Amino acid sequence: MSLISPYALNSHRQYKGNLHTHTTNSDGVMTPQQVVDLYAALGYHFLMLSDHDHVTDIHALNHRGMALIPGYEITAGGGHLLYVGGREVLPHNGDRQSVIHAVNDRGGFIIVNHPNWEEDYSHWPQAELNRLQGFHGLEIYNGVSERAEGAALATDRWDMLLSKGRQVWGFGNDDTHETYDSCITWNMVFAEEFSMESLIAALRTGNFYVSTGVHIDAIHVEGNFIRIVSRDTQCFRVIRDHGMILAALDGPEMCYEVPDVAPLSYLRVECYGRGADMAWTQPFRIA
């Protein structure tokens, strides 16, 4: 048994960012510059303006010291997808598989948005997620869904995919429309340097975690042990295939030896802090 960790680089340099943000170029209430100003004031390091079927020009903006990532939200004709790295709008196409292929061919990547949104908790039916191939990530927490129909949390949908052997990274994004939609959930990236290239590389390889308020100081894998240090964590939960809980351990430091149990194709860790504050690691694969 061996653990395959996405946290190859695990320095103290962490960068906070949001990839799902709307402006007055679609259905947001703030102009692009107002959105950038807001997130800069909140201490963010990177941001993507993801208007509906519209690429907002980031070159015309004052970046306020942040890395602004190009992209947009694909919404016409089907379930919503984030096109990270998108510099032009693709032809509208309801066939989401062809859209994913087109994005991958252009060097971008796709995040599936808010799977548990809407009254039936199924903006994305699980059968459709199982069918689609080549998407990079899933929003396991969608901030605006706290005030919308359905559920903000979608780790259940994530576990269903991971349990089928799919490599899908979990993302946390605000999906900002109003000012009060900001800083609900975010992605904390371990990166070699503060540059868009380095941030994108870490997002591609899973070298980040999702948070709603819990800070993870360090994540290490040594042999069959996972060690996590998190000053904010009161309890760690270790999750395996099909969402089964392997262990619940008191914080703020966890050193967990992977047991010999079945089924066991991956592990992920949930960090519980004060109140509703949480953090979620990416999955560790078992080989």
Side-chain angles (χ1 to χ4, degrees), residues 203-220:
L203 291 170
R204 283 187 178 279
T205 58
N207 203 11
F208 66 99
Y209 62 92
V210 173
S211 178
T212 60
V214 167
H215 183 88
I216 297 177
D217 300 285
I219 304 172
H220 296 290

Side-chain angles (χ1 to χ4, degrees), residues 255-276:
C255 189
Y256 182 75
E257 183 176 14
V258 179
D260 184 11
V261 296
L264 186 60
S265 64
Y266 73 92
L267 297 174
R268 61 178 184 83
V269 180
E270 298 178 340
C271 306
Y272 291 77
R274 294 197 312 167

Side-chain angles (χ1 to χ4, degrees), residues 80-274:
H80 296 188
L81 302 168
L82 279 184
Y83 178 179
V84 180
R87 299 179 185 275
E88 61 181 7
V89 176
L90 299 175
H92 288 182
N93 188 335
D95 178 7
R96 287 319 194 222
Q97 187 60 72
S98 67
V99 169
I100 294 170
H101 288 324
V103 168
N104 291 340
D105 288 344
R106 287 164 173 79
F109 63 82
I110 287 287
I111 300 169
V112 174
N113 291 343
H114 41 62
N116 280 336
W117 174 44
E118 298 184 313
E119 292 181 1
D120 61 356
Y121 290 67
S122 190
H123 177 73
W124 282 101
Q126 194 66 28
E128 181 70 356
L129 294 182
N130 292 340
R131 181 186 73 84
L132 293 174
Q133 300 293 318
F135 61 88
H136 181 77
L138 181 78
E139 281 186 340
I140 61 170
Y141 207 95
N142 176 269
V144 78
S145 294
E146 289 188 349
R147 63 177 179 86
E149 302 88 345
L153 186 66
T155 51
D156 56 340
R157 315 295 292 281
W158 195 27
D159 281 317
M160 291 180 206
L161 290 168
L162 295 175
S163 299
K164 290 182 176 294
R166 302 283 293 273
Q167 181 168 294
V168 176
W169 304 128
F171 287 81
N173 293 313
D174 284 335
D175 196 356
T176 315
H177 291 76
E178 305 276 354
T179 54
Y180 48 75
D181 295 329
S182 59
C183 208
I184 296 172
T185 183
W186 51 89
N187 306 287
M188 290 296 291
V189 172
F190 297 104
E192 292 183 358
E193 60 183 10
F194 178 51
S195 68
M196 187 166 66
E197 294 74 19
S198 186
L199 293 168
I200 289 289
L203 291 170
R204 283 187 178 279
T205 58
N207 203 11
F208 66 99
Y209 62 92
V210 173
S211 178
T212 60
V214 167
H215 183 88
I216 297 177
D217 300 285
I219 304 172
H220 296 290
V221 167
E222 298 176 5
N224 288 335
F225 287 86
I226 300 172
R227 179 173 177 264
I228 299 178
V229 180
S230 172
R231 72 194 82 166
D232 301 323
T233 296
Q234 298 179 358
C235 177
F236 298 96
R237 287 206 314 183
V238 183
I239 311 296
R240 64 168 166 145
D241 300 60
H242 311 295
M244 291 185 284
I245 301 170
L246 264 176
L249 308 165
D250 290 338
E253 184 171 342
M254 179 191 94
C255 189
Y256 182 75
E257 183 176 14
V258 179
D260 184 11
V261 296
L264 186 60
S265 64
Y266 73 92
L267 297 174
R268 61 178 184 83
V269 180
E270 298 178 340
C271 306
Y272 291 77
R274 294 197 312 167

